[in-house]
Amino acid sequence: LWKKLGRIGFYFFFKHSFSFSVYSKNQLSWTVEIKPGVFNEYRTMWFKSYRMTFSCLNRMKSYRYPWTRPYSTSQNTVDNSEVKTFLALAHKWWDEQGVYAPLHSMNDLRVPFIRDNLLKTLPNHQPGKPLSGMKILDVGCGGGLLTEPLGRLGASVTGIDPVDENIKTAQCHKSFDPVLDQRIDYRACALEEIVEDTAETFDAVVASEVIEHVLDLETFLQYCCQVLKPGGSLFITTINKTQLSYALGIVFSEQIAGIVPKGTHTWEKFVSPEKLESILEPNGLSVQTVAGMLYNPFSGYWHWSENTSLNYAAHAVKSRVQEHPVPAEFVLKGETEQLRANAYASPGMHEELKK
């Protein structure tokens, strides 16, 4: 019996491909992948192929088992657990008295905030359509709550969201307005999927109530910068990472008052204005404005505040001149040539060099 089981296990071992990884804490890691074995007519086994790759890592990574997806180097910003949360609420976007009521009310602040800051960059604008001619990307557009008002202001808006059902809801709602149907384009995708095709395409990028849900904040903001034209604007609304935001934004809003569904937010993902600015500036984005926002759950309205300890809005502008770092070898070469020129310009130094 044990011999038979051993043969079965041996057959399964070589009949099915497998891979495993071993990681050291400091430097080296390796991955071995063996494809199914083949038995010839003499019942001797040989491997179809094998592959071994090595890569250097700076920190410990999680172990990968044979049935998991191979490690991918692509920069993914979408958190699948967040996708599941919003998928369950996809049909409720346009219920102004439902779970998204605070976002409907937030339009009273965020739409003028975007409009007024963009008008500062426009020498002329059409009455009734002040944002005419501008191309705006609404990242994480959901059901189109912010996309549609921007379209009504005359802008050509592209709304993207990784949740298919959100995009279906948004497309259905805009179809009732023929004007919006022409100005708005919705796509079910993540930001990283369109970066290469839309580099330096948009006059403005909007990420409203989004960055506290992404998987990789720094990469997400880099992508936002890449799709912006030089001189373009990035608009963000989000939640500050403070003790007050935990007490009111999660404990009260989710667990006590039920203003938003439980599990909608994760405090660890909240971002302070200082942290946000520290990520934006190295990417060529200069923060122009940071303004606090407060929500009154009893009246259902938002208002501006000097206090940014809860919600806040930020406006940053991409530099028109992108600086490119000079390779070190050119710097050293230039310094050497300059020193040599100075030496030969001084007779005393020239004599010393001859010696």
Side-chain angles (χ1 to χ4, degrees):
L1 176 62
W2 287 109
K3 285 184 178 181
K4 289 183 178 180
L5 290 174
R7 288 173 184 171
I8 293 171
F10 183 81
Y11 175 79
F12 180 83
F13 181 85
F14 288 109
K15 195 65 179 175
H16 296 78
S17 63
F18 69 96
S19 64
F20 62 90
S21 300
V22 181
Y23 296 92
S24 66
K25 188 172 183 179
N26 297 320
Q27 292 294 327
L28 186 65
S29 74
W30 62 89
T31 302
V32 179
E33 180 182 24
I34 300 178
K35 294 186 177 180
V38 178
F39 289 86
N40 62 16
E41 62 271 20
Y42 299 104
R43 300 187 63 77
T44 58
M45 189 278 301
W46 57 280
F47 291 112
K48 277 185 178 179
S49 65
Y50 69 93
R51 183 181 67 187
M52 182 175 289
T53 59
F54 294 87
S55 62
C56 292
L57 301 177
N58 293 323
R59 61 180 66 181
M60 175 74 77
K61 300 292 183 182
S62 59
Y63 292 98
R64 182 165 71 255
Y65 296 95
W67 52 85
T68 61
R69 173 181 282 184
Y71 177 76
S72 172
T73 57
S74 62
Q75 298 288 335
N76 181 30
T77 64
V78 178
D79 190 330
N80 290 330
S81 62
E82 300 275 2
V83 170
K84 292 179 181 178
T85 300
F86 288 101
L87 179 61
L89 302 171
H91 62 289
K92 298 183 178 182
W93 281 103
W94 289 97
D95 180 1
E96 296 186 16
Q97 306 302 321
V99 295
Y100 290 122
L103 292 184
H104 283 272
S105 177
M106 188 184 286
N107 278 355
D108 293 341
L109 296 189
R110 57 184 179 176
V111 173
F113 181 74
I114 295 169
R115 178 199 63 202
D116 295 346
N117 281 289
L118 287 179
L119 287 180
K120 295 176 183 177
T121 66
L122 291 175
N124 299 303
H125 60 272
Q126 300 179 27
K129 295 190 294 183
L131 300 185
S132 179
M134 302 205 77
K135 298 181 69 175
I136 300 177
L137 176 65
D138 186 7
V139 185
C141 64
L145 270 60
L146 180 56
T147 318
E148 289 196 6
L150 294 176
R152 290 192 180 93
L153 290 174
S156 297
V157 191
T158 299
I160 64 172
D161 197 285
V163 182
D164 290 344
E165 294 303 316
N166 285 349
I167 294 298
K168 290 178 182 177
T169 299
Q171 288 175 331
C172 179
H173 196 270
K174 76 156 184 174
S175 64
F176 295 107
D177 189 330
V179 175
L180 290 180
D181 212 22
Q182 295 177 356
R183 294 179 186 170
I184 297 175
D185 176 33
Y186 287 118
R187 304 181 195 177
C189 64
L191 179 57
E192 53 266 28
E193 296 178 54
I194 66 167
V195 168
E196 292 185 4
D197 296 332
T198 60
E200 297 189 350
T201 296
F202 298 99
D203 299 289
V205 173
V206 179
S208 184
E209 306 306 297
V210 171
I211 66 172
E212 67 270 24
H213 300 289
V214 300
L215 187 64
D216 186 338
L217 177 60
E218 293 190 14
T219 300
F220 177 83
L221 293 175
Q222 287 173 7
Y223 290 156
C224 289
C225 180
Q226 290 174 28
V227 300
L228 266 178
K229 293 178 181 178
S233 292
L234 172 64
F235 296 95
I236 291 173
T237 68
T238 189
I239 309 174
N240 199 346
K241 190 176 184 179
T242 61
Q243 293 180 348
L244 186 61
S245 69
Y246 178 79
L248 296 181
I250 293 181
V251 177
F252 177 76
S253 297
E254 295 187 14
Q255 301 174 11
I256 298 176
I259 298 172
V260 293
K262 291 182 180 179
T264 299
H265 297 110
T266 303
W267 186 79
E268 287 75 16
K269 286 186 175 182
F270 291 175
V271 187
S272 68
E274 296 78 16
K275 175 66 174 178
L276 181 63
E277 186 171 1
S278 71
I279 299 174
L280 293 177
E281 287 193 350
N283 287 287
L285 286 157
S286 175
V287 176
Q288 306 295 307
T289 307
V290 175
M293 301 188 299
L294 288 179
Y295 179 69
N296 186 333
F298 302 104
S299 66
Y301 290 103
W302 292 83
H303 65 269
W304 293 112
S305 169
E306 294 182 358
N307 189 338
T308 61
S309 58
L310 287 172
N311 296 72
Y312 66 93
H315 171 222
V317 175
K318 182 176 179 179
S319 172
R320 292 185 180 274
V321 179
Q322 297 298 307
E323 297 180 357
H324 300 284
V326 180
E329 58 267 24
F330 291 106
V331 175
L332 292 174
K333 182 179 179 181
E335 290 178 353
T336 304
E337 291 177 351
Q338 183 63 40
L339 288 172
R340 185 177 300 169
N342 293 339
Y344 279 96
S346 173
M349 182 65 71
H350 183 56
E351 293 298 325
E352 288 294 326
L353 287 173
K354 281 185 176 180
K355 294 178 182 180

